[in-house]
Amino acid sequence: MCLDAILEKDPNDATAWALKSTVHANQWRFGHSLAEPERSDLLLRANRTDMAVAAANRAEALSDGANSAVYWGMSQAYFVKCDVDKLLASVQRGLRLNPDDPSLLAVYGNWLIYAGQLDEGQALIERAFSIEPRHYLSWWLFGPGARHFYRGEYQQSHAAFTRAFNDRNWLSHLHMAYTLPLIGRVDESHASVKKLLTLNPGFTIEKALQFYKAHCFNDQYLAAMQGALQQAGLPTRRDTANLNRIQVPQVKIRKVNGYSTEYLDLGSDEPIVFVHGAISDYRAWADFELPISKRQRYIAYSRRCFGSQPDTCSQPPVNFQTYVDDLAAFIESLNAGPAHLVGWSSGANITSVLAATRPDLVKSAIHFELVDDKLIVDEASLADAKRTFLARSVPYTEAIKAGDHDSAGARSLEFVFEQEIGAFERERPGTRRIVIDNIATTIAIRQSAAGQSPMLTCELLRSTQVPTLVVHGELTNAYWAAMSRRAAECIPGARLAVLTNVKHDAPIRKPADFAEMILSFVEQHKAAKQAAAR
């Protein structure tokens, strides 16, 4: 938006056009700031590469030839196009203007190696290390690791990737996962895949191949990587024998009560619909995509105003019931009969109300830590727990008052997850991205009637007729845990379960345990229905 304003004021600003090229290039690579389904589908945003090249050419046409930013943008544009000759020419022209920046040399060197220019790229990286031999960044070694892999030098490739290793970077674990099997260390590669999936849930061989192909690696590299990842046990949804037709799950869009909702629909059999809480969207359930869709039909959607759809708040929710009605309409639109529901936090408030009021749409319900103080019976006994817990919300509310949305998002997650200040910065990138994308909506809803759930009472829950499982974390604060226990008491026949050693963050800390709990409950209910039918 800022660049658009600059270019509207001065359409001949070469630097702004170069930056525009960079924005388009990064949108192609990562999908940031785009709406679904483009945001998660590389093929749908392919036009961004042409937009990057057009902006770069415009920048060059307006430049006097002495603006290094122009060739930085141009290099990115031709890199995402995988136009190797023009990439190399752009790099050379940029380095004539700025030959001694080690980070620039390392970036260009990595890109050239990825695109198959092994010696040219290596020379630039070696020059970067000669200028900055001590305080270099670990990712500078990604290119040398890839160069060795291209040449079939797998031991040296692994060694380079090990020197570049960053335990908090999912790409480092992917490097380990596809080099370790090729040097006879398959068992260790399984541990790398496990950590990779923790940092990048839902990641598959297809997603790895698509990511690398978008970074200009050739089919020889991809084929070797694919074979190694199969040995390492990285999940795959299908045989990707044709590297020109790599397919990853696509986000779908449908109109629900007049607004566009984005959702992921994977697998078959009985549908299990996942409903997220605040500062969140459908991506919050990414850890569950693979385990659930292997055995049942996995569906996760973004509630109204959350997610990336531009029209979701054209008619903002006027009350909490709007979300219940939206979920009902969404299930009806699937034409798949009644569904099993899984809700988390305020999402569990929604699933509990729908389960109580529309049994025709619900087969069973799993509520993880619904949160509503109207369920509390003995306020006096929980007064200290409530006071202690709510005191943790002060940094969040202060950030809102200050108008600092970024800080509000970080402090909000730390509050509900009961973490210390600063923990947000150590969360996995995907979790941080979801919070950043949804904090404005959360603040707006918090300040509206839609943030309240006046319907959620014990009297209402007593009308529930479907099998229900209520779950809370063992370490969750006593105030919230009491709400879950009370809900289980109110719902006829409800089971209460506890996930050990976790708090409100259990779905991302122990997704395997929670997924198995969900599947066992759903399949037990399904088996009972089948037995009754016989």
Side-chain angles (χ1 to χ4, degrees), residues 187-209:
D187 290 345
E188 292 174 68
S189 71
H190 293 164
S192 296
V193 165
K194 184 177 180 180
K195 188 60 184 286
L196 166 61
L197 292 174
T198 299
L199 293 171
N200 196 339
F203 200 69
T204 61
I205 290 178
E206 289 76 28
K207 289 182 179 180
L209 295 174

Side-chain angles (χ1 to χ4, degrees), residues 33 99 145 150 171 190 203 253 287 297 339 458 465 470 519 534:
S33 79
Y150 261 121
L171 192 55
H190 293 164
F203 200 69
I253 309 293
D287 291 283
R297 183 178 173 188
C458 192
Q465 302 174 29
V470 180
L519 288 165
R534 290 196 295 268

